[in-house]
Amino acid sequence: MPKFVYDFTEGNKDLKDLLGGKGANLAEMTNLGLPVPPGFTITAEACRHYLEHGNPPAGLADEVDRHLAALESAMGKRLGQSDDPLLVSVRSGAKFSMPGMMETVLNVGLNDESVLGLAAQAGDDRFAWDSYRRLIQMFGKTVLDIDGDLFEDAVEDVKRARGSDDDADLTADDFKALVDRFKGIVRDKAGREFPADPREQMDLAVEAVFDSWNAPRAVLYRRQERIPVDLGTAVNICAMVFGNMGLDSGTGVAFTRDPASGQQGIYGDYLQNAQGEDVVAGIRNTVPLKELERIDKASYDRLLEIMETLENHYRDMCDIEFTIERGKLWMLQTRVGKRTAAAAFRIACQLLDQGLIDRDETARRVTGDQLAQLMFPRFAAKLDNVRKLTKGMNASPGAAVGKAVFTTERAVELAGRGEDVILVRRETNPDDLAGMVAAKGVLTSRGGKTSHAAVVARGMGKTCVCGAEELDVDVKGAQFTAPGGVTVGEGDVISIDGTSGDVYLGEVPVEDSPVVRYFEGDLPVEDGDDLVKAVHRVMEHADARAALKVRANSDTPEDSARARRFGAAGIGLCRTEHMFLGDRRQLVEQLILAEDATGRKAALDALEPLQRQDFEGIFAAMDGLPVTIRLIDPPLHEFLPDITELSVRVALAGEDADAKDRRLLEAVTRLHEQNPMLGLRGVRLGLAIPGLFGMQVRAIAEAAAARRLDGGDPRPEIMIPLVGAVQELEAVRDEARAILAEVKSATGVDVPALIGTMIELPRAALTAGQIAEAAEFFSFGTNDLTQTTWGFSRDDVEAAFFSRYLELGIFGVSPFETLDREGVGRLVRIAVEEGRRVRPGLHLGICGEHGGDPDSVHFCHEVGLDYVSCSPFRVPVARLEAGRAAIEAGGAGAAGGSDSR
């Protein structure tokens, strides 16, 4: 029979799959001899059984009985014992950190009898009744699914009666009255009494934590962070220690380095006479952790010792939750801390310099997504005619501009219309996750750097300013008031700077980040700050370790030059159809309307010098590097007017309709297709319209010859799109080779050009061995390969049902964002294996949007591609991930490793 319960003394940090991150790390701290309250963990495997079958697995109750008895023996008291009760916390803990997304219940074991025993033991009636009302409030909201505002409103009523807005002013009698009122809320809303049996409380709390794995906010968070849906959560049952026993008690959160900037120092928040939820919720403003030295120096010094122990042990920045109970320090949680992108790069290089990690591990500790965040624009250094409203805590860096909204529902609604919004709250809670995801940034008037808003925003890479205490936020009135009487209502534009904490009225101009200026070559690394230097060090090592080359998708000389500055090793996709837009569209119309070969040749002859000029500029920008040019792919009707618009124009004009419009309408009607994606396009177009591909090949060859005569080193590669049968490729290849030979003869310049194809149809992948006989390279067009494999038209399905598929777990992430390894990836593997079996030297790359997606880059390394190609701006991201993929394939994983999710 499987083991479902582990004592904290039995686990370790490597058992996160089984015990979750929290349980594994509690066990690890116990093993290190740190002060951890005793307890045990119910495994994620038990949760998975419960979610699948609707009931706990057989044998779980007996295991819990044995471990609870051992805990009671160790503590010298029983759960809920009337004269001296053992109380426990019931907390979730999944493999990957999901802050605030699942449930916690504290003070389990209290009832009308044991609360008197707790009061007697503590010598403090107020503390005991405060703890009891907290239990009923948490239990009612979490276990019985009662609206939490009902409990909060009751607390506010009592505070108003006291003439106070501070919980600390409430008395034991106030809390006793709240207990009675809370019981009434439970009775009215849940249709049952609050359970007095301590074991029933604990069992129901455990099941509530299991159920919370599928709570809407947890599902949304997993989707946002790409956390697998089938992991389940462990449950940690731990002896309670109390931070709300008076001014010699308290609770706090500490980081061994600043999670926002990465700077070394003392960072965190502390709250006297409070429980942990008060800090994380942000409902009471905390004091900086450094203040603990003044309040309780012995506990402060011991905490610093533990922080150093944990950071050296995990070899990473750690996030710590602790409680002080009457001068005794207890560790309630540690984990590798979530951090901003800037902090990730700085911390990785600091740990390298300290000798805690090597250069490979340094690259492992950062991600391409984090690098992309560092490349986002930031607010301009010089601000004219912009009004600063206030300054809060710089919780998560970045520059965000948008309309102020005050509820999650409005944030989702307006963002769904394509509007940028800033979510403004007094404090956020887990139910605000959808609004935080939808918003460009988050602004709160309460809470510190460890509040829910700060922690979640940092994890998502979302700009956040919190604890802006000068703002009076009126959520119901949908407005806030800033110093000077400035009122900002819903829909007013504000700007928040998560790096400085500044909040502005109106839209603040932005400028390129220093990291982008570094990649552009405008900022030499020696003139950059410590972040630029850290990025340079990591990129240098990633490039040295990478097996994959990174090319760019580029259609203009300007984009090509930028891609090269960003480190591209060539062009993997030059889309020639983009060269037919603008003024040249008329020439395409002439080609389509040509009534004979002479008219068609005239149109092609007019297009050729324009194409040649484009190619010359691109060859110059990419001198000495390969340039893969895809011959025209989309159907020709895309270059013609809309059929509906043209039909209306001709119909309204009647007999006076323009002759050209009539001819265009005839052509559009003739070329109109029910499913253009699967119609006359790609290689089919080149075979159906004689001379079209030939004109493009000639323009490529002549541009390369001209570049060579100017002393350059052009390296063209000609790519035939949408091939499904080798015979299609052979026909175009033979024509192209003949034209290349003609240009060589005419110019006296030999410019070898590889001829290959895009693999973007399942049939092409399945017959790759045949196609490789005629192709010198394959480039996987994974956008179309995904569409044709799934039977999707991307433009139609993404808005129609993708969100539903994500909700149902059919997709963990859209297959257009990250390569579908099981389906599309399987076709890629087949094509790679069969192609190289026939032609061992076959060049292989990928040029779909997946080329800049970190997970897809790792897949491309695994299957042995030579390069990935992506947009110029994503080139640094792909370079970093190419290096990380090689490192991860070549060595063991990190001992600690930051949880980038």
Side-chain angles (χ1 to χ4, degrees):
M1 177 178 288
K3 180 178 171 66
F4 291 116
V5 185
Y6 286 73
D7 189 86
F8 289 168
T9 60
E10 296 179 288
N12 61 64
K13 65 181 173 61
D14 297 324
L15 295 180
K16 290 180 182 176
D17 286 332
L18 188 67
L19 304 180
K22 190 174 296 175
N25 289 324
L26 282 168
E28 190 74 11
M29 287 195 293
T30 300
N31 295 339
L32 290 172
L34 301 183
V36 176
F40 54 89
T41 300
I42 300 173
T43 65
E45 187 178 354
C47 174
R48 290 192 291 271
H49 183 283
Y50 174 86
L51 294 176
E52 182 178 353
H53 300 283
N55 54 270
L60 176 61
D62 290 340
E63 282 194 70
V64 170
D65 284 343
R66 290 196 298 275
H67 281 81
L68 178 59
L71 177 60
E72 290 173 330
S73 176
M75 299 298 291
K77 47 190 171 184
R78 288 178 290 104
L79 181 68
Q81 182 176 311
S82 60
D83 59 341
D84 185 11
L86 168 65
L87 305 181
V88 298
S89 62
V90 179
R91 305 174 78 192
S92 62
K95 176 181 179 181
F96 297 109
S97 175
M98 295 172 58
M101 296 305 116
M102 292 180 293
E103 302 297 2
T104 292
V105 182
L106 305 180
N107 308 329
V108 170
L110 281 175
N111 55 29
D112 291 350
E113 295 179 358
S114 60
V115 68
L116 302 177
L118 181 64
Q121 290 294 325
D124 187 342
D125 286 357
R126 183 189 183 281
F127 152 72
W129 287 99
D130 179 25
S131 299
Y132 193 13
R133 71 91 188 175
R134 286 172 183 266
L135 167 63
I136 302 173
Q137 183 171 355
M138 280 184 159
F139 193 94
K141 183 173 183 288
T142 296
V143 181
L144 302 178
D145 201 26
I146 298 171
D147 183 356
D149 287 344
L150 295 174
F151 299 107
E152 288 293 344
D153 290 346
V155 175
E156 292 300 318
D157 288 345
V158 175
K159 286 195 290 189
R160 269 194 299 272
R162 279 274 170 204
S164 172
D165 59 1
D166 190 347
D167 291 4
D169 292 331
L170 300 186
T171 67
D173 286 340
D174 292 329
F175 287 125
K176 192 170 183 179
L178 278 172
V179 165
D180 289 337
R181 187 165 172 182
F182 283 3
K183 285 181 181 179
I185 292 172
V186 169
R187 191 179 306 113
D188 293 343
K189 299 300 178 181
R192 61 158 295 169
E193 296 292 335
F194 175 76
D197 178 8
R199 181 57 189 271
E200 183 185 5
Q201 293 175 10
M202 191 179 86
D203 290 343
L204 289 175
V206 168
E207 292 187 6
V209 172
F210 285 162
D211 286 328
S212 70
W213 176 256
N214 286 329
R217 66 185 187 227
V219 172
L220 176 60
Y221 188 86
R222 288 198 297 274
R223 187 188 312 155
Q224 176 77 12
E225 299 297 309
R226 299 188 180 186
I227 295 173
V229 301
D230 58 352
L231 297 178
T233 180
V235 181
N236 301 287
I237 296 174
C238 184
M240 281 294 304
V241 290
F242 298 95
N244 58 332
M245 293 188 77
L247 294 180
D248 60 352
S249 303
T251 187
V253 176
F255 295 92
T256 58
R257 297 168 196 246
D258 186 349
S261 70
Q263 301 299 336
Q264 294 174 274
I266 308 302
Y267 296 94
D269 297 314
Y270 183 69
L271 196 55
Q272 278 181 285
N273 196 21
Q275 287 196 313
E277 296 301 302
D278 298 332
V279 176
V280 177
I283 57 177
R284 288 172 59 187
N285 283 336
T286 57
V287 298
L289 184 60
K290 195 80 173 65
E291 282 291 295
L292 180 58
E293 183 175 22
R294 177 186 58 80
I295 296 168
D296 183 349
K297 189 172 189 316
S299 294
Y300 177 78
D301 291 342
R302 177 65 175 130
L303 178 63
L304 294 191
E305 291 174 8
I306 291 172
M307 289 167 67
E308 182 177 7
T309 297
L310 289 172
E311 181 166 281
N312 289 336
H313 182 72
Y314 282 89
R315 301 186 303 131
D316 208 341
M317 186 266 283
C318 291
D319 169 357
I320 297 161
E321 293 181 20
F322 66 92
T323 284
I324 298 172
E325 180 182 286
R326 291 185 169 170
K328 167 68 174 174
L329 176 67
W330 294 96
M331 307 305 294
L332 303 186
Q333 177 172 327
T334 191
R335 61 191 172 201
V336 170
K338 289 185 179 293
R339 66 209 65 187
T340 66
F345 277 84
R346 288 192 180 105
I347 290 171
C349 289
Q350 291 165 4
L351 296 172
L352 172 65
D353 292 338
Q354 289 176 235
L356 290 174
I357 61 176
D358 60 20
R359 295 192 73 187
D360 279 355
E361 183 63 22
T362 303
R364 281 196 190 98
R365 294 289 177 90
V366 297
T367 68
D369 286 336
Q370 289 170 332
L371 180 60
Q373 290 175 31
L374 297 182
M375 297 172 68
F376 293 158
R378 66 178 191 174
F379 288 143
K382 186 177 181 181
L383 301 178
D384 296 320
N385 303 317
V386 175
R387 180 165 186 172
K388 179 177 170 181
L389 295 175
T390 189
K391 187 181 184 74
M393 292 187 186
N394 52 335
S396 183
V401 179
K403 294 180 177 179
V405 295
F406 294 83
T407 66
T408 280
E409 292 75 21
R410 285 293 282 164
V412 172
E413 179 185 347
L414 294 185
R417 297 182 202 160
E419 299 185 49
D420 293 342
V421 299
I422 305 293
L423 179 63
V424 183
R425 304 284 285 165
R426 289 195 189 96
E427 70 277 331
T428 65
N429 62 57
D431 293 329
D432 289 317
L433 180 65
M436 295 180 71
V437 170
K440 292 294 181 183
V442 180
L443 170 63
T444 72
S445 60
R446 298 177 182 171
K449 283 191 176 182
T450 56
S451 64
H452 175 269
V455 172
V456 174
R458 276 197 298 271
M460 295 194 307
K462 187 83 64 176
T463 299
C464 178
V465 173
C466 65
E469 298 177 5
E470 293 181 325
L471 300 182
D472 181 9
V473 178
D474 179 3
V475 173
K476 291 183 179 177
Q479 65 178 32
F480 70 79
T481 305
V486 179
T487 298
V488 175
E490 182 178 290
D492 293 337
V493 174
I494 59 173
S495 302
I496 63 172
D497 188 339
T499 303
S500 67
D502 291 330
V503 180
Y504 301 93
L505 181 64
E507 182 173 348
V508 174
V510 296
E511 63 185 11
D512 283 342
S513 75
V515 172
V516 166
R517 292 176 55 220
Y518 156 70
F519 284 127
E520 288 278 17
D522 296 335
L523 179 63
V525 64
E526 57 271 16
D527 295 339
D529 60 12
D530 59 345
L531 176 59
V532 168
K533 289 181 172 69
V535 169
H536 173 76
R537 293 173 70 184
V538 172
M539 294 301 295
E540 196 173 49
H541 186 63
D543 287 339
R545 293 287 270 123
L548 280 171
K549 299 294 184 185
V550 178
R551 299 189 191 181
N553 300 341
S554 172
D555 315 322
T556 67
E558 295 76 19
D559 279 353
S560 301
R562 188 181 208 205
R564 186 164 194 157
R565 292 194 298 272
F566 276 27
I571 291 178
L573 176 62
C574 174
R575 293 157 288 210
T576 55
E577 60 270 11
H578 289 186
M579 302 172 180
F580 291 157
L581 302 176
D583 294 341
R584 304 180 189 184
R585 189 186 292 267
Q586 292 182 341
L587 297 175
V588 181
E589 288 183 5
Q590 292 175 22
L591 174 65
I592 295 170
L593 297 177
E595 297 178 349
D596 53 30
T598 302
R600 187 162 54 245
K601 184 176 186 305
L604 291 171
D605 288 347
L607 281 167
E608 184 184 318
L610 300 174
Q611 287 256 280
R612 184 167 61 243
Q613 181 181 344
D614 292 330
F615 295 139
E616 285 183 20
I618 292 172
F619 288 146
M622 283 289 167
D623 196 61
L625 296 175
V627 176
T628 304
I629 300 168
R630 182 180 72 186
L631 303 185
I632 188 169
D633 178 43
L636 286 184
H637 79 265
E638 290 192 8
F639 299 96
L640 296 178
D642 177 75
I643 188 170
T644 302
E645 178 186 318
L646 197 56
S647 299
V648 170
R649 192 160 73 221
V650 170
L652 289 176
E655 294 183 1
D656 297 328
D658 183 79
K660 182 183 177 184
D661 280 351
R662 289 183 183 278
R663 293 173 62 205
L664 276 173
L665 181 57
E666 290 173 6
V668 172
T669 303
R670 184 178 71 250
L671 293 170
H672 181 70
E673 297 171 307
Q674 294 300 319
N675 192 341
M677 190 187 80
L678 300 179
L680 182 60
R681 54 170 289 218
V683 68
R684 306 158 195 166
L685 192 61
L687 295 174
I689 301 181
L692 178 58
F693 278 8
M695 176 274 292
Q696 293 193 292
V697 172
R698 188 174 300 277
I700 293 168
E702 291 179 351
R707 181 69 191 147
R708 179 64 58 84
L709 289 171
D710 285 343
D713 181 17
R715 301 187 182 185
E717 300 177 350
I718 298 169
M719 183 157 66
I720 317 303
L722 213 71
V723 164
V726 67
Q727 293 86 351
E728 295 172 312
L729 177 59
E730 288 170 340
V732 177
R733 178 202 62 186
D734 293 345
E735 179 188 10
R737 283 180 174 173
I739 293 170
L740 291 171
E742 287 176 19
V743 173
K744 175 183 176 181
S745 177
T747 62
V749 178
D750 182 18
V751 183
L754 298 179
I755 298 176
T757 186
M758 286 185 85
I759 302 293
E760 46 194 331
L761 295 173
R763 189 181 193 281
L766 295 171
T767 61
Q770 298 174 25
I771 293 174
E773 294 175 358
E776 294 173 288
F777 68 87
F778 288 169
S779 180
F780 293 94
T782 50
N783 296 345
D784 274 357
L785 188 56
T786 298
Q787 292 192 97
T788 53
T789 299
W790 278 92
F792 287 159
S793 168
R794 179 176 183 174
D795 293 339
D796 296 324
V797 302
E798 283 194 313
F801 60 80
F802 263 36
S803 60
R804 181 61 177 154
Y805 268 41
L806 289 165
E807 288 172 10
L808 293 172
I810 297 171
F811 296 151
V813 64
S814 166
F816 293 110
E817 292 179 32
T818 294
L819 194 72
D820 159 32
R821 291 183 177 229
E822 290 75 22
V824 177
R826 177 72 182 123
L827 290 173
V828 171
R829 286 183 186 275
I830 290 170
V832 168
E833 293 166 3
E834 295 201 359
R836 282 205 167 134
R837 188 179 301 125
V838 170
R839 189 186 289 262
L842 186 69
H843 292 287
L844 299 169
I846 180 176
C847 63
E849 291 175 29
H850 299 101
D853 170 67
D855 185 72
S856 303
V857 171
H858 285 243
F859 171 80
C860 293
H861 175 90
E862 292 168 19
V863 298
L865 301 193
D866 296 304
Y867 69 86
V868 297
S869 189
C870 58
S871 68
F873 197 77
R874 297 287 294 183
V875 165
V877 173
R879 285 170 51 202
L880 174 57
E881 291 297 344
R884 294 181 72 243
I887 290 166
E888 290 179 8
S898 72
D899 174 10
S900 61
R901 285 180 258 213

